[in-house]
Amino acid sequence: MATASQTQAHTGRHRRQPLHGSGRWRRFRNNRTLLLMCLPAILFFIVFAYLPMPGLYLAFIKYNYTDGIFRSPFLGFDNFKFLVMTGDLWRLTFNTVVYNLAFILLGNVLQIVVAVFLNEIRQKWFKKVTQTLMFLPHFISAVLIGLIAYNVLSYDYGLLNSILTSLGMDPVKTYSNASIWPYIIVLTYLWQSTGYGSIVYFAAIMGLDNEIIEASEIDGANAFQRIRYIVLPWLKPTFIILLLFSLGGILRGNFGLFFNLVGANNTALYATTDIIETYVFRALMTNFNFSIGSAVSLYQSVFGFFVVITANWLVKKISPDNSLF
């Protein structure tokens, strides 16, 4: 009997192996639609994120057109030392991080507020009209936004100075006053992105069980109490996930917005508006210094990676269920 059972067990092991392979193929076949949907994203990252990686070598050489990338003189970390010694690296990092923190924190807070208010609207037609009007700024080109801003803020022909002079006041030199541009840039970004960004939070609210809301109404909770004790805690995991995703790009500025609003060569505004992307643009298009531009980009990516790791570690300590990994 022992020999027969051992034979059956041995035979069973050999029979299960083909089943394991067929099980994988069955899962692949059953999920082929989802895999095909993921294929464009996979190809995107392969082509635009992984294939260009050898180009990081530019950050460690003094590139010239004659010798090419891999035969140009090797400098090591001299390009990074140059950025530190000139003081540009600190200014670029500070401006980019502060702007992105304002975009992330103020943007998410406004998006939550808009989503909550939209959820409280009872007239469906008014809700649809409001959502449509709030989505429109997202689809306006940054070039058009820059043109509108110039026509409003221009010293000679701007609408703002025309109104000021008609009231007997002195015109404002907006494009030479660096202190006011952080407010203009942040307000412009919030105007353009809040409506569209609120979609995620509004969708999360739609997933809230209506029975919980109805039970709170029966218990006598008013609208503000429902929002504070039910809706906002429900949105907490979504807020944390979006925050972690956003922190990964904390050193990646909105080049289109900055370039079209203030340009990349306005030296009077460098102190408050110069970010990493505009610096790299000048290095590539004005000075043709590909090595310095690559060094800044590499620093940008490494810094963002450690920010995400650190932020996820803190979230994991405070709320393990809401961490990314």
Side-chain angles (χ1 to χ4, degrees):
M1 293 295 294
T3 304
S5 62
Q6 290 176 358
T7 304
Q8 292 176 356
H10 181 72
T11 305
R13 284 196 298 269
H14 283 281
R15 288 179 179 174
R16 282 194 294 268
Q17 290 178 356
L19 290 175
H20 183 68
S22 63
R24 287 184 177 180
W25 171 250
R26 190 181 301 109
R27 287 195 297 271
F28 175 82
R29 185 175 58 189
N30 293 337
N31 298 305
R32 61 182 181 274
T33 303
L34 295 176
L35 293 173
L36 287 175
M37 291 175 63
C38 294
L39 186 60
I42 295 172
L43 292 176
F44 174 84
F45 284 104
I46 290 175
V47 173
F48 294 102
Y50 291 99
L51 291 181
M53 276 187 175
L56 295 176
Y57 185 67
L58 279 169
F60 305 96
I61 62 174
K62 185 178 181 181
Y63 177 75
N64 60 74
Y65 295 95
T66 304
D67 298 329
I69 295 178
F70 297 103
R71 288 187 296 177
S72 297
F74 182 78
L75 298 180
F77 291 94
D78 288 352
N79 290 324
F80 299 93
K81 292 179 182 178
F82 173 78
L83 290 172
V84 175
M85 292 175 63
T86 56
D88 291 334
L89 192 63
W90 163 249
R91 172 172 53 84
L92 296 171
T93 302
F94 178 80
N95 287 343
T96 308
V97 169
V98 170
Y99 274 115
N100 278 325
L101 284 177
F103 294 162
I104 293 170
L105 297 179
L106 294 178
N108 278 278
V109 169
L110 283 179
Q111 289 164 18
I112 291 174
V113 171
V114 169
V116 171
F117 283 171
L118 287 175
N119 183 62
E120 292 298 319
I121 297 176
R122 293 294 175 256
Q123 291 80 5
K124 291 184 178 181
W125 67 268
F126 185 76
K127 181 184 296 187
K128 292 180 179 179
V129 171
T130 304
Q131 286 179 315
T132 303
L133 293 177
M134 295 188 67
F135 292 165
L136 288 178
H138 174 77
F139 300 101
I140 297 177
S141 170
V143 177
L144 183 57
I145 293 175
L147 179 63
I148 295 173
Y150 181 79
N151 281 276
V152 173
L153 302 174
S154 174
Y155 180 79
D156 295 320
Y157 308 106
L159 175 64
L160 175 63
N161 284 337
S162 298
I163 295 175
L164 292 177
T165 53
S166 65
L167 296 175
M169 302 173 65
D170 295 329
V172 179
K173 296 181 178 180
T174 307
Y175 285 93
S176 60
N177 187 351
S179 61
I180 65 175
W181 276 99
Y183 303 100
I184 297 174
I185 292 173
V186 172
L187 289 176
T188 304
Y189 175 84
L190 295 177
W191 168 76
Q192 187 181 21
S193 63
T194 299
Y196 188 82
S198 63
I199 294 175
V200 177
Y201 291 108
F202 187 71
I205 295 175
M206 292 295 98
L208 183 59
D209 192 354
N210 287 329
E211 293 183 358
I212 300 177
I213 302 296
E214 293 174 358
S216 65
E217 292 176 351
I218 294 173
D219 291 337
N222 57 35
F224 292 101
Q225 290 173 332
R226 293 197 305 270
I227 293 171
R228 178 180 178 183
Y229 296 107
I230 298 177
V231 177
L232 293 182
W234 177 262
L235 294 178
K236 178 183 175 183
T238 304
F239 171 78
I240 293 176
I241 293 297
L242 292 179
L243 179 63
L244 291 176
F245 285 157
S246 301
L247 288 176
I250 197 169
L251 273 189
R252 299 191 180 278
N254 192 332
F255 174 76
L257 180 64
F258 282 81
F259 180 75
N260 287 285
L261 279 180
V262 300
N265 298 308
N266 191 343
T267 56
L269 305 180
Y270 279 177
T272 59
T273 64
D274 198 22
I275 59 173
I276 290 178
E277 272 70 15
T278 54
Y279 183 90
V280 172
F281 177 82
R282 288 197 305 274
L284 296 179
M285 302 304 295
T286 305
N287 303 322
F288 300 100
N289 195 333
F290 293 93
S291 298
I292 295 295
S294 298
V296 175
S297 297
L298 180 58
Y299 161 74
Q300 187 181 40
S301 300
V302 173
F303 187 93
F305 171 77
F306 283 106
V307 167
V308 171
I309 295 297
T310 304
N312 185 76
W313 178 79
L314 292 174
V315 171
K316 196 171 184 178
K317 290 289 184 182
I318 300 172
S319 181
D321 294 335
N322 297 321
S323 61
L324 287 176
F325 48 86

Coordinates of all heavy atoms in Angstrom, one line a residue, residues 204-249:
A204 N -14.4 59.6 -5.7 CA -14.3 58.9 -4.4 C -15.5 59.1 -3.5 O -16.0 58.2 -2.9 CB -13.0 59.4 -3.7
I205 N -16.1 60.4 -3.5 CA -17.3 60.6 -2.8 C -18.4 59.8 -3.3 O -19.3 59.3 -2.5 CB -17.6 62.1 -2.8 CG1 -16.5 62.9 -2.1 CG2 -19.0 62.4 -2.1 CD1 -16.7 64.4 -2.1
M206 N -18.5 59.6 -4.6 CA -19.6 58.8 -5.2 C -19.5 57.4 -4.7 O -20.5 56.7 -4.8 CB -19.5 58.9 -6.7 CG -19.8 60.2 -7.4 SD -21.5 60.8 -7.1 CE -21.3 61.9 -5.7
G207 N -18.4 56.9 -4.3 CA -18.2 55.6 -3.8 C -18.6 55.4 -2.3 O -18.6 54.3 -1.8
L208 N -19.0 56.5 -1.7 CA -19.5 56.4 -0.3 C -20.9 55.8 -0.2 O -21.8 56.2 -1.0 CB -19.4 57.8 0.3 CG -19.8 58.0 1.8 CD1 -18.9 57.2 2.7 CD2 -19.8 59.4 2.2
D209 N -21.1 54.9 0.7 CA -22.4 54.3 0.9 C -23.4 55.3 1.3 O -23.3 56.0 2.3 CB -22.2 53.2 1.9 CG -23.5 52.2 1.9 OD1 -24.4 52.5 1.2 OD2 -23.4 51.2 2.6
N210 N -24.5 55.4 0.6 CA -25.6 56.3 0.9 C -26.3 56.0 2.2 O -26.8 56.9 2.8 CB -26.6 56.4 -0.2 CG -26.1 57.1 -1.5 OD1 -25.2 58.0 -1.4 ND2 -26.5 56.7 -2.6
E211 N -26.2 54.7 2.6 CA -26.9 54.3 3.8 C -26.2 55.0 5.0 O -26.9 55.3 6.0 CB -26.8 52.8 4.0 CG -27.7 52.1 2.9 CD -27.7 50.6 3.2 OE1 -27.0 50.1 4.1 OE2 -28.4 49.9 2.4
I212 N -24.9 55.2 4.9 CA -24.2 55.9 6.0 C -24.7 57.3 6.1 O -24.9 57.9 7.2 CB -22.7 55.8 5.8 CG1 -22.2 54.4 5.8 CG2 -22.0 56.6 6.9 CD1 -20.7 54.2 5.5
I213 N -24.8 58.0 5.0 CA -25.3 59.4 5.0 C -26.7 59.4 5.5 O -27.1 60.3 6.3 CB -25.2 60.0 3.6 CG1 -23.8 59.9 3.0 CG2 -25.8 61.4 3.5 CD1 -22.8 60.8 3.8
E214 N -27.6 58.5 5.1 CA -29.0 58.5 5.5 C -29.0 58.3 7.0 O -29.9 58.9 7.7 CB -29.7 57.5 4.7 CG -29.9 57.8 3.3 CD -30.5 56.6 2.5 OE1 -30.8 55.6 3.1 OE2 -30.8 56.8 1.3
A215 N -28.2 57.3 7.5 CA -28.2 57.1 9.0 C -27.8 58.3 9.8 O -28.4 58.6 10.8 CB -27.3 55.9 9.3
S216 N -26.8 59.1 9.2 CA -26.4 60.3 9.9 C -27.5 61.3 9.9 O -27.6 62.1 10.9 CB -25.1 60.8 9.3 OG -25.4 61.2 8.0
E217 N -28.2 61.4 8.8 CA -29.3 62.4 8.8 C -30.4 62.0 9.8 O -31.0 62.9 10.4 CB -29.9 62.4 7.3 CG -28.9 63.0 6.3 CD -29.5 63.0 4.9 OE1 -30.5 62.3 4.7 OE2 -28.9 63.6 4.0
I218 N -30.7 60.7 9.9 CA -31.7 60.3 10.9 C -31.3 60.6 12.3 O -32.1 61.0 13.1 CB -32.0 58.7 10.7 CG1 -32.6 58.5 9.4 CG2 -32.8 58.2 11.8 CD1 -32.7 57.0 9.1
D219 N -30.0 60.5 12.5 CA -29.4 60.8 13.9 C -29.4 62.3 14.1 O -29.0 62.7 15.2 CB -28.0 60.2 14.0 CG -28.1 58.7 14.1 OD1 -29.2 58.1 14.5 OD2 -27.1 58.0 13.8
G220 N -29.7 63.1 13.1 CA -29.7 64.5 13.4 C -28.5 65.3 12.9 O -28.3 66.5 13.3
A221 N -27.6 64.7 12.2 CA -26.4 65.4 11.8 C -26.7 66.3 10.6 O -27.4 66.0 9.7 CB -25.3 64.3 11.3
N222 N -26.1 67.6 10.8 CA -26.4 68.6 9.7 C -25.3 68.4 8.6 O -24.5 67.5 8.7 CB -26.3 70.0 10.3 CG -25.0 70.3 11.0 OD1 -24.0 69.8 10.6 ND2 -25.1 71.1 12.1
A223 N -25.3 69.2 7.6 CA -24.5 69.1 6.4 C -23.0 69.2 6.8 O -22.1 68.4 6.4 CB -24.8 70.1 5.4
F224 N -22.7 70.2 7.7 CA -21.3 70.3 8.1 C -20.8 69.2 8.9 O -19.6 68.8 8.8 CB -21.1 71.7 8.9 CG -21.3 72.9 8.0 CD1 -22.5 73.5 8.1 CD2 -20.3 73.3 7.2 CE1 -22.7 74.7 7.3 CE2 -20.5 74.4 6.4 CZ -21.7 75.1 6.4
Q225 N -21.6 68.6 9.7 CA -21.2 67.4 10.5 C -21.0 66.2 9.6 O -20.1 65.4 9.9 CB -22.2 67.2 11.6 CG -22.3 68.2 12.7 CD -23.4 68.0 13.7 OE1 -24.5 67.5 13.3 NE2 -23.3 68.5 14.9
R226 N -21.8 66.0 8.6 CA -21.6 64.9 7.7 C -20.3 65.1 6.9 O -19.6 64.1 6.7 CB -22.8 64.8 6.7 CG -24.1 64.5 7.3 CD -25.1 64.0 6.3 NE -25.3 65.0 5.2 CZ -26.2 66.0 5.3 NH1 -27.0 66.1 6.3 NH2 -26.3 66.9 4.3
I227 N -20.0 66.3 6.5 CA -18.8 66.5 5.8 C -17.6 66.3 6.7 O -16.6 65.6 6.3 CB -18.7 67.9 5.2 CG1 -19.8 68.1 4.2 CG2 -17.4 68.3 4.7 CD1 -20.0 69.5 3.7
R228 N -17.6 66.7 7.9 CA -16.5 66.6 8.8 C -16.2 65.2 9.3 O -15.1 64.8 9.3 CB -16.7 67.6 10.0 CG -15.6 67.5 11.0 CD -15.8 68.4 12.2 NE -14.7 68.3 13.2 CZ -14.7 68.9 14.4 NH1 -15.7 69.8 14.7 NH2 -13.7 68.8 15.2
Y229 N -17.3 64.5 9.6 CA -17.1 63.2 10.3 C -17.3 62.0 9.3 O -16.9 60.9 9.7 CB -18.1 63.1 11.5 CG -17.8 64.0 12.6 CD1 -18.7 65.1 12.8 CD2 -16.7 63.9 13.4 CE1 -18.5 66.0 13.8 CE2 -16.5 64.8 14.4 CZ -17.4 65.9 14.6 OH -17.2 66.8 15.6
I230 N -17.8 62.2 8.1 CA -18.0 61.1 7.2 C -17.3 61.3 5.9 O -16.4 60.5 5.5 CB -19.5 60.9 6.9 CG1 -20.3 60.6 8.2 CG2 -19.7 59.8 5.9 CD1 -21.8 60.5 8.1
V231 N -17.5 62.4 5.2 CA -16.9 62.6 3.9 C -15.4 62.8 3.9 O -14.7 62.2 3.2 CB -17.6 63.8 3.2 CG1 -17.0 64.1 1.8 CG2 -19.1 63.6 3.1
L232 N -15.0 63.7 4.8 CA -13.5 64.0 4.9 C -12.7 62.8 5.3 O -11.7 62.5 4.7 CB -13.2 65.2 5.8 CG -13.8 66.6 5.3 CD1 -13.4 67.7 6.2 CD2 -13.2 66.8 3.9
P233 N -13.1 62.0 6.3 CA -12.3 60.8 6.6 C -12.4 59.8 5.5 O -11.4 59.1 5.3 CB -13.1 60.3 7.9 CG -13.7 61.4 8.5 CD -14.1 62.3 7.4
W234 N -13.5 59.8 4.7 CA -13.6 58.9 3.6 C -12.5 59.3 2.5 O -12.0 58.4 1.8 CB -15.0 58.9 3.0 CG -15.2 58.1 1.8 CD1 -15.2 58.5 0.5 CD2 -15.4 56.7 1.8 NE1 -15.4 57.5 -0.3 CE2 -15.6 56.3 0.4 CE3 -15.5 55.7 2.7 CZ2 -15.8 55.0 0.0 CZ3 -15.8 54.4 2.3 CH2 -15.9 54.1 1.0
L235 N -12.3 60.6 2.4 CA -11.3 61.1 1.3 C -9.9 61.0 1.8 O -9.0 61.2 1.0 CB -11.7 62.5 1.0 CG -13.0 62.7 0.3 CD1 -13.2 64.2 0.0 CD2 -13.1 62.0 -1.0
K236 N -9.6 60.7 3.0 CA -8.2 60.6 3.5 C -7.3 59.7 2.7 O -6.2 60.1 2.3 CB -8.2 60.3 5.0 CG -6.9 60.2 5.6 CD -6.9 59.7 7.1 CE -5.5 59.5 7.7 NZ -5.6 59.0 9.1
P237 N -7.7 58.4 2.5 CA -6.8 57.6 1.7 C -6.5 58.1 0.3 O -5.4 58.0 -0.2 CB -7.5 56.2 1.6 CG -8.5 56.3 2.8 CD -8.9 57.7 2.9
T238 N -7.5 58.7 -0.4 CA -7.3 59.2 -1.7 C -6.3 60.4 -1.6 O -5.5 60.5 -2.5 CB -8.7 59.7 -2.3 OG1 -9.6 58.6 -2.3 CG2 -8.5 60.2 -3.7
F239 N -6.5 61.3 -0.6 CA -5.6 62.4 -0.5 C -4.2 62.0 -0.3 O -3.2 62.5 -0.9 CB -6.1 63.3 0.7 CG -5.1 64.4 1.1 CD1 -5.0 65.5 0.3 CD2 -4.3 64.2 2.2 CE1 -4.2 66.5 0.6 CE2 -3.4 65.2 2.5 CZ -3.3 66.4 1.8
I240 N -4.0 60.9 0.6 CA -2.6 60.5 0.8 C -2.0 59.9 -0.4 O -0.8 60.1 -0.7 CB -2.6 59.5 2.0 CG1 -3.0 60.1 3.3 CG2 -1.2 58.8 2.2 CD1 -3.2 59.2 4.5
I241 N -2.7 59.1 -1.1 CA -2.1 58.5 -2.3 C -1.8 59.5 -3.4 O -0.7 59.5 -4.0 CB -3.2 57.5 -3.0 CG1 -3.3 56.3 -2.0 CG2 -2.7 57.0 -4.3 CD1 -2.1 55.4 -1.8
L242 N -2.7 60.5 -3.6 CA -2.4 61.6 -4.5 C -1.2 62.4 -4.1 O -0.4 62.9 -4.9 CB -3.6 62.4 -4.8 CG -4.8 61.8 -5.5 CD1 -6.0 62.7 -5.6 CD2 -4.4 61.3 -6.9
L243 N -1.1 62.6 -2.8 CA 0.0 63.4 -2.2 C 1.3 62.7 -2.5 O 2.3 63.3 -2.9 CB -0.2 63.6 -0.7 CG 0.9 64.4 0.0 CD1 1.0 65.8 -0.5 CD2 0.6 64.4 1.5
L244 N 1.4 61.4 -2.2 CA 2.6 60.6 -2.5 C 3.0 60.6 -4.0 O 4.2 60.8 -4.3 CB 2.4 59.2 -2.0 CG 2.4 59.0 -0.5 CD1 2.1 57.5 -0.1 CD2 3.6 59.5 0.2
F245 N 2.0 60.5 -4.8 CA 2.3 60.6 -6.3 C 2.8 61.9 -6.6 O 3.7 62.1 -7.5 CB 1.0 60.3 -7.1 CG 0.7 58.8 -7.1 CD1 -0.6 58.4 -7.3 CD2 1.6 57.8 -6.9 CE1 -1.0 57.1 -7.4 CE2 1.3 56.5 -6.9 CZ 0.0 56.1 -7.1
S246 N 2.3 63.0 -6.1 CA 2.7 64.3 -6.4 C 4.1 64.6 -5.9 O 4.9 65.3 -6.5 CB 1.7 65.4 -5.8 OG 0.4 65.2 -6.3
L247 N 4.4 64.1 -4.7 CA 5.8 64.3 -4.2 C 6.9 63.8 -5.0 O 8.0 64.3 -5.0 CB 5.9 63.8 -2.8 CG 5.1 64.5 -1.7 CD1 5.2 63.7 -0.3 CD2 5.5 65.9 -1.5
G248 N 6.5 62.7 -5.8 CA 7.5 62.2 -6.7 C 8.0 63.2 -7.8 O 9.1 63.1 -8.3
G249 N 7.2 64.1 -8.1 CA 7.5 65.2 -9.1 C 7.7 66.5 -8.4 O 7.5 67.5 -9.1

